[in-house]
Amino acid sequence: MKRMLLRALVALFLLSGRTPLAAQSVDSCRYALFGSVLDEHDGQPLPFSNIVVEETQGGAIASEDGSFRLEGFCRGTYTLVFSHIGCGSRRVSVQIPVDSALTLYLEHHAEMLEGITVIAAPKLSPHVSSSSSLEGVALERLAGQSLAASLSSMAGVETLQTGPTIAKPVIHGLHSSRVLIFNNGLEQEGQEWGTDHAPEIDPFTADRLTVIKGTGAVRYGLGALGGVVLVEPAPLPRESGLGGRLQLVGMTNGGLGAISGRLQGGSKKWTGFGWRVQGTYRIAGDARAPEYQLTNTGLRENNLSLGLGWQREAFSLETYYSRFYTELGILRSAHIGNLTDLQAALASGEPQIVEDFSYSIQNPRQQVVHDLFKLRGNWQLGNAGALEAQYGLQRNHRQEFDIRRGDRSDIPALDLELTTHNQEIVFTHRPWWDRWKGSIGLTGSYNRNRNVPGTGTKPLIPWYNNLEAGLFWVEKWLQEKYELEFGLRYDHRYLKAKTFDDQQELVITRLNYQGFTASLGGRYHLTERWTLRLNLGTAIRPPNVSELFSDGLHHAIASIEEGNVDLSPERSAKAVLNLTHENDDRFRLELDGYYQLIDRYIFLQPEPELRLTIRGAFPVFTYRQTDATLAGFDAYVQFRLLSHLFLEGKGSLVRGFDRGADDDLIFLPPPRGELHLKYVLAAAGRVKDLQFDLGVRRSWEQKHFPEGVDFAPPPSAYTLLTAGFSMNYLLGAHPLGIHLRIDNLLDTPYREYLNRLRYYADEAGRNVELRLSYEF
Amino acid sequence: MQFKRSFLAIFLLLPFLWTSCDDDPEPENPEELITTVLLTLSPDGAGTPVVFSFQDLDGEGGNAATITTDPLAANTTYSAAVTLLNETESPVENITEEVEEEDDEHQFFLLPAANLKLDWSYLDQDADGHPVGLLLQVVTKEASSGDLTLILRHLPDKGASGVAEGNIDNAGGETDIEVTFPVTIQ
């Protein structure tokens, strides 16, 4: 009796001309299924097997070496029929995307079919660039954290914090305006220049978080020097029926509680119509460091999103609205008057104000409302290709409340309203000669920033209008073993700002920036498991309004920052080399090495003289430019020690040089490493995805920093232990996820170099986190 | 098809809807600005008051501050009054009143350099019986010279050890004012 072993790997197909626009519907129909058919007895390839997809009536014949490849899958369930001369046929139901590789035993006689073994394996990334994604159970295990904290579980991604509640992602040492974040296909437009301004995104909306660490500038636009973050919700349902998910999160540290739910469905009457309603409420009180309470570090967050979609064969339309509301407390002790106060705080080594645990949020605090609206259409234009058009409207209202004299505590000290219109039209041509895939697109955006009057303070950021237009073209050349991608983009930005001089006279500044960016990338499949990627890309970033116009005192860091209207755009050239070993249960590897040159890198340079004010003397920092180099690597490796026991390691290292001053760059993440011992059981009865995890995280001391710039030396190295248990339990047909995790198991006090409030207090201590999720 | 065309037309026309409203912003008045600190020292009994002044009319940026002092007489007891002004307002705004209203949240401290021979103490109290320091007593000793620093702390811990006696070490809070006068006692 002849048996066949069929290995089917499911992967995201290599996207062509992938733009933020394409992030959703097109993406979801670009999965590929590939694998090979082998004889189970001797592992030899079985050539010329026949594979038919029942739903599409498409199919393929395996090649001489038994390998096959099928493309054009959307998310959903497909039935594959495998057959081979001399064997019977076998029907296999496949859910796309597949979380794991399938090993299927095919037999001569259908009635003697054996079971299906599921082994863990990663999916191929759709990006030619080096990128990482979080989805499914891995994302559920992080639920309830901020977006940046969730992202930081990927190698090479760090967080820049302002206390326990405010965090933003750092990719390859760069952050803020140098990282673009796309929320459901739309570039997130908030006051992202501020290091203490976290992205206004509810991570519960995401079905997948992707970080593109390579060179994404051509597709994603101005500023993507560090990388691009994609926050992608699941595609809207197309079939009738009601479904949803409920998630509950509780954490002991800070008494954090979060509840998030979604309900979605389709229509029987109107084919292709789908909808989703999603909401989140998150609350936390004061976090606790091992030795004291971190007073005034609570948060409130409530978010709502609605999605409506209509998909026909040659046409689809989708609209999305979300509202994000957050109120964040800032460590009370970090609000200080002058440099003497800061030095006193540093000398004491403990926060000055420590009160009992409370959920109340006092000044200083931030309050932000972010509304996002999106409308997108997609048309199949016969044989020519497809056209996509997107319009986005965002309104970001940020209020920051300070400790003020008189009865002014309820008056925001900063009150900014930023309105953004985005527009994109992208034409994706049909594949030429089955080898060339690509698209050409036109993008435009308009920002309008206004200071809401009545703050009684000098505005940090002026009145401005910003107009941007871009044109891009990306092409990909596909071969069996490799693919090449190139892209070209032109951008123009016009910025008009209105400020006041000393005599309160209006000064109007008009600035124009333009430039080309280009990228060249390649992916080479050395073998089925080894992949090599090389990406070269340029990027430009015009100075942001803060770098151009800021003029004032920053309370938490007791320094005066002065903008510089003469700054020219940063220009970057980056090379990323990536080596991946995947689709193998025993050994997985992902290695990224990068080298980036940034000309006219904008940074804050301390002036030699202190500025004497009525509050005392302050250091003055001015925005200047230098030529900088960044280089580093990220590594991820996983070994199978025993049948269910895995050892997983992660590490990253980045170095930065100021070539102008022949010195180190400041505030770069210190070297880090993480080691996990995991016991994984994919399925056992009603239990799925069972995992025990014992981890150790080590952060070394940052030894490379410019002398005499920072107020305190980088904190010392620290080692933390974590433990976790996670599983899905099938209640009927629906999984109930139970995830328990203990962070900082030994309650170790430590300080983090990339936390702006490290001058004042330790990081949060032990945290027991329980997460429940139920999908129906 | 009709729908598709009109949708596309709306899309292509959208940029023209972005006609930026070119309103002008109004200058914001920095309400909490303190431009001027005056320390008026009146000798007990008779005599002309001596005024120390720190004036920075354009706030934290811009031009440097102007500091003026006059010599103090040796072995003399002075009553010193602190005055805070915002001189960018017209008429000039007296910030001293704001501190008076919130006197439980504020406290002044004097820090004479070691070589400046003088003693000082508080002459006023808030409702809780803690000193405020809008009124101070300064007693000069022998002729000497050195820096005298006046500090205003917002939200200090007035009950902490030594704070009522004018020792700033345990006061905490945040510094609203810190000005230094070069003083000569002759």
Side-chain angles (χ1 to χ4, degrees):
Chain A
M1 204 191 325
K2 198 171 179 189
R3 302 212 296 180
M4 289 194 304
L5 166 69
L6 174 84
R7 287 206 169 153
L9 300 176
V10 177
L12 289 161
F13 183 55
L14 331 160
L15 282 184
S16 70
R18 193 167 188 285
T19 68
L21 260 179
Q24 282 280 302
S25 61
V26 176
D27 184 352
S28 59
C29 285
R30 287 187 182 179
Y31 290 90
L33 183 80
F34 62 87
S36 49
V37 188
L38 307 169
D39 186 312
E40 206 224 352
H41 295 292
D42 50 12
Q44 289 301 306
L46 278 175
F48 312 120
S49 301
N50 193 30
I51 304 118
V52 176
V53 185
E54 277 199 346
E55 282 76 6
T56 62
Q57 287 304 309
I61 294 175
S63 63
E64 207 169 344
D65 64 356
S67 67
F68 67 90
R69 186 181 188 97
L70 291 159
E71 294 173 7
F73 290 98
C74 306
R75 282 176 180 239
T77 309
Y78 290 88
T79 312
L80 305 178
V81 184
F82 292 87
S83 56
H84 187 259
I85 307 157
C87 301
S89 65
R90 166 81 202 266
R91 288 159 58 96
V92 179
S93 178
V94 179
Q95 177 81 31
I96 296 206
V98 172
D99 286 329
S100 29
L102 305 173
T103 310
L104 307 172
Y105 295 88
L106 254 75
E107 289 203 34
H108 221 81
H109 306 291
E111 65 273 15
M112 289 180 69
L113 284 177
E114 290 196 357
I116 296 168
T117 316
V118 183
I119 58 166
K123 272 164 285 181
L124 256 185
S125 153
H127 309 284
V128 173
S129 300
S130 165
S131 69
S132 321
S133 285
L134 270 178
E135 57 191 313
V137 190
L139 195 57
E140 266 176 39
R141 286 181 188 134
L142 300 168
Q145 294 184 324
S146 69
L147 176 69
S150 302
L151 293 169
S152 70
S153 67
M154 303 182 208
V157 186
E158 307 276 344
T159 53
L160 176 70
Q161 290 170 259
T162 302
T165 44
I166 301 173
K168 54 199 309 184
V170 181
I171 304 172
H172 284 176
L174 299 173
H175 58 82
S176 300
S177 319
R178 296 185 182 105
V179 168
L180 301 185
I181 300 178
F182 281 82
N183 183 358
N184 193 358
L186 208 58
E187 187 182 340
Q188 180 79 6
E189 295 273 5
Q191 306 286 354
E192 67 273 358
W193 47 265
T195 49
D196 57 343
H197 300 165
E200 301 87 352
I201 296 175
D202 176 12
F204 280 107
T205 58
D207 203 40
R208 178 168 61 202
L209 298 176
T210 304
V211 172
I212 302 172
K213 295 186 277 187
T215 47
V218 168
R219 287 168 187 161
Y220 297 103
L222 285 171
L225 265 64
V228 179
V229 174
L230 305 177
V231 179
E232 297 165 302
L236 287 166
R238 267 184 281 182
E239 276 82 45
S240 65
L242 201 65
R245 187 176 73 177
L246 183 70
Q247 283 176 285
L248 296 169
V249 182
M251 300 188 191
T252 55
N253 198 327
L256 183 140
I259 175 164
S260 182
R262 69 157 82 135
L263 207 59
Q264 61 187 40
S267 165
K268 214 163 201 149
K269 202 168 162 195
W270 301 297
T271 324
F273 178 80
W275 58 270
R276 175 182 300 131
V277 184
Q278 182 270 348
T280 301
Y281 180 73
R282 206 155 74 97
I283 181 170
D286 298 336
R288 191 179 164 78
E291 283 152 14
Y292 39 77
Q293 206 75 45
L294 299 168
T295 298
N296 201 42
T297 55
L299 73 88
R300 300 276 183 290
E301 198 180 291
N302 54 69
N303 315 309
L304 183 74
S305 70
L306 306 161
L308 279 179
W310 188 40
Q311 294 202 8
R312 304 307 299 259
E313 257 172 46
F315 169 75
S316 77
L317 195 65
E318 192 192 307
T319 177
Y320 178 80
Y321 167 76
S322 70
R323 162 163 279 220
F324 177 94
Y325 168 85
T326 188
E327 195 182 343
L328 299 159
I330 295 170
L331 184 71
R332 177 63 186 80
S333 305
H335 191 272
I336 51 160
N338 66 6
L339 195 59
T340 323
D341 293 359
L342 174 59
Q343 280 155 354
L346 285 171
S348 99
E350 275 186 20
Q352 307 272 312
I353 298 165
V354 176
E355 285 161 17
D356 290 341
F357 173 83
S358 156
Y359 276 103
S360 80
I361 298 174
Q362 309 290 332
N363 293 3
R365 65 191 168 93
Q366 302 180 351
Q367 195 174 311
V368 191
V369 183
H370 192 98
D371 291 293
L372 182 145
F373 170 78
K374 186 182 87 165
L375 184 64
R376 184 178 62 215
N378 181 323
W379 298 266
Q380 297 297 325
L381 305 173
N383 283 330
L387 189 69
E388 287 175 305
Q390 175 171 284
Y391 167 73
L393 173 63
Q394 291 174 75
R395 181 180 157 273
N396 183 289
H397 186 198
R398 166 174 289 272
Q399 292 181 310
E400 297 187 3
F401 297 85
D402 221 333
I403 294 163
R404 302 177 73 172
R405 220 178 40 242
D407 299 320
R408 297 188 187 92
S409 286
D410 293 329
I411 304 169
L414 180 82
D415 197 343
L416 291 169
E417 212 175 276
L418 175 68
T419 312
T420 306
H421 300 264
N422 280 98
Q423 195 186 344
E424 277 194 324
I425 297 182
V426 179
F427 172 69
T428 305
H429 66 72
R430 70 175 164 82
W432 294 329
W433 309 290
D434 284 338
R435 290 281 177 238
W436 287 93
K437 290 190 163 191
S439 49
I440 188 159
L442 191 65
T443 66
S445 71
Y446 166 66
N447 306 91
R448 178 181 182 274
N449 186 66
R450 297 295 180 269
N451 280 284
V452 179
T455 57
T457 58
K458 208 162 82 177
L460 209 55
I461 291 296
W463 179 111
Y464 73 85
N465 286 341
N466 182 56
L467 206 54
E468 248 173 64
L471 183 66
F472 72 87
W473 179 36
V474 280
E475 280 297 327
K476 195 177 282 184
W477 189 48
L478 305 164
Q479 290 292 333
E480 295 304 318
K481 282 275 178 193
Y482 62 93
E483 65 245 30
L484 293 175
E485 185 190 65
F486 76 85
L488 195 64
R489 184 182 178 106
Y490 174 77
D491 282 289
H492 190 107
R493 170 183 281 188
Y494 168 68
L495 177 72
K496 179 168 157 185
K498 295 185 181 177
T499 48
F500 294 96
D501 66 7
D502 295 345
Q503 275 69 53
Q504 300 284 46
E505 296 289 326
L506 198 66
V507 181
I508 300 177
T509 315
R510 293 181 177 85
L511 297 164
N512 280 286
Y513 304 99
Q514 64 269 309
F516 283 96
T517 40
S519 71
L520 185 64
R523 168 155 73 174
Y524 186 77
H525 299 282
L526 299 164
T527 68
E528 194 185 291
R529 290 170 179 175
W530 287 99
T531 309
L532 191 68
R533 293 179 177 84
L534 177 66
N535 285 273
L536 306 168
T538 64
I540 42 177
R541 185 181 75 89
N544 64 38
V545 280
S546 166
E547 291 159 342
L548 292 165
F549 300 107
S550 77
D551 175 19
L553 187 61
H554 282 235
H555 277 288
I557 46 175
S559 38
I560 293 172
E561 287 182 10
E562 290 197 336
N564 178 354
V565 80
D566 298 321
L567 295 173
S568 46
E570 294 179 338
R571 285 200 154 272
S572 138
K574 186 175 185 179
V576 187
L577 186 66
N578 169 280
L579 180 67
T580 307
H581 184 265
E582 57 199 337
N583 307 334
D584 184 349
D585 185 28
R586 290 156 301 180
F587 170 58
R588 284 172 61 192
L589 175 78
E590 205 172 312
L591 208 59
D592 272 313
Y594 56 96
Y595 189 83
Q596 184 171 23
L597 296 171
I598 307 176
D599 282 357
R600 300 193 289 271
Y601 177 80
I602 300 171
F603 72 110
L604 278 170
Q605 168 144 312
E607 297 291 313
E609 299 280 309
L610 292 180
R611 169 104 21 104
L612 189 65
T613 76
I614 209 149
R615 279 176 184 273
F618 289 93
V620 180
F621 291 85
T622 316
Y623 283 103
R624 304 254 184 229
Q625 294 188 285
T626 186
D627 290 343
T629 304
L630 286 163
F633 73 87
D634 313 323
Y636 171 86
V637 62
Q638 190 193 62
F639 296 100
R640 191 175 69 188
L641 301 176
L642 295 165
S643 59
H644 293 290
L645 200 63
F646 294 85
L647 186 69
E648 190 184 86
K650 250 187 292 201
S652 61
L653 179 74
V654 55
R655 287 289 312 272
F657 309 95
D658 176 344
R659 280 180 280 141
D662 194 20
D663 204 345
D664 293 305
L665 286 183
I666 197 166
F667 298 138
L668 286 179
R672 291 200 215 276
E674 229 174 289
L675 211 56
H676 290 267
L677 193 64
K678 287 183 175 175
Y679 176 85
V680 180
L681 198 61
R686 304 191 75 82
V687 175
K688 276 180 68 189
D689 307 313
L690 180 79
Q691 178 182 299
F692 290 94
D693 173 0
L694 198 63
V696 55
R697 186 153 66 94
R698 168 96 180 156
S699 176
W700 281 267
E701 187 182 325
Q702 179 57 276
K703 301 265 187 202
H704 304 282
F705 58 94
E707 290 289 340
V709 179
D710 202 355
F711 301 107
S716 19
Y718 62 84
T719 306
L720 304 178
L721 294 185
T722 61
F725 162 77
S726 161
M727 68 166 191
N728 272 312
Y729 185 80
L730 286 175
L731 287 175
H734 304 298
L736 170 72
I738 302 166
H739 315 287
L740 184 71
R741 199 176 114 96
I742 308 172
D743 215 9
N744 195 355
L745 195 66
L746 303 179
D747 212 19
T748 312
Y750 69 101
R751 293 196 186 195
E752 175 52 61
Y753 184 49
L754 291 189
N755 189 337
R756 279 167 34 111
L757 302 191
R758 72 179 158 91
Y759 307 126
Y760 306 101
D762 288 343
E763 296 291 318
R766 183 186 301 125
N767 193 10
V768 182
E769 310 162 11
L770 179 67
R771 298 173 169 87
L772 298 175
S773 71
Y774 182 67
E775 202 152 345
F776 54 96
Chain B
M1 265 305 149
Q2 191 59 49
F3 176 68
K4 185 166 112 187
R5 250 184 238 143
S6 52
F7 191 82
L8 265 181
I10 291 170
F11 244 97
L12 294 168
L13 283 171
L14 268 170
F16 301 99
L17 302 176
W18 296 353
T19 42
S20 50
C21 15
D22 209 354
D23 50 323
D24 280 342
E26 287 292 316
E28 194 75 41
N29 226 352
E31 289 171 11
E32 284 161 289
L33 184 68
I34 302 173
T35 61
T36 311
V37 178
L38 300 175
L39 187 63
T40 312
L41 297 115
S42 316
D44 278 7
T48 337
V50 177
V51 180
F52 297 172
S53 101
F54 181 105
Q55 195 183 41
D56 188 6
L57 291 178
D58 55 3
E60 279 138 10
N63 300 319
T66 339
I67 302 166
T68 57
T69 56
D70 279 318
L72 297 175
N75 302 314
T76 311
T77 302
Y78 291 91
S79 302
V82 181
T83 311
L84 310 176
L85 302 173
N86 178 1
E87 294 188 86
T88 58
E89 297 280 334
S90 177
V92 170
E93 193 187 352
N94 188 348
I95 312 283
T96 323
E97 289 160 17
E98 275 188 24
V99 176
E100 267 166 2
E101 280 161 27
E102 296 177 349
D103 57 7
D104 56 328
E105 293 181 3
H106 290 90
Q107 188 169 346
F108 286 90
F109 297 88
L110 270 185
L111 280 73
N115 46 351
L116 183 68
K117 304 300 179 195
L118 63 79
D119 288 331
W120 68 278
S121 56
Y122 292 104
L123 291 178
D124 57 356
Q125 283 183 345
D126 63 18
D128 306 323
H130 295 126
V132 182
L134 281 164
L135 288 173
L136 301 159
Q137 187 177 66
V138 175
V139 183
T140 58
K141 294 189 266 191
E142 71 269 27
S144 57
S145 66
D147 282 345
L148 180 66
T149 303
L150 175 73
I151 292 177
L152 170 61
R153 282 281 168 90
H154 187 203
L155 296 168
D157 182 359
K158 288 197 175 193
S161 154
V163 173
E165 288 74 51
N167 183 346
I168 199 168
D169 291 347
N170 299 320
E174 63 220 32
T175 306
D176 268 3
I177 289 174
E178 182 175 334
V179 295
T180 300
F181 302 106
V183 177
T184 310
I185 300 172
Q186 59 189 29

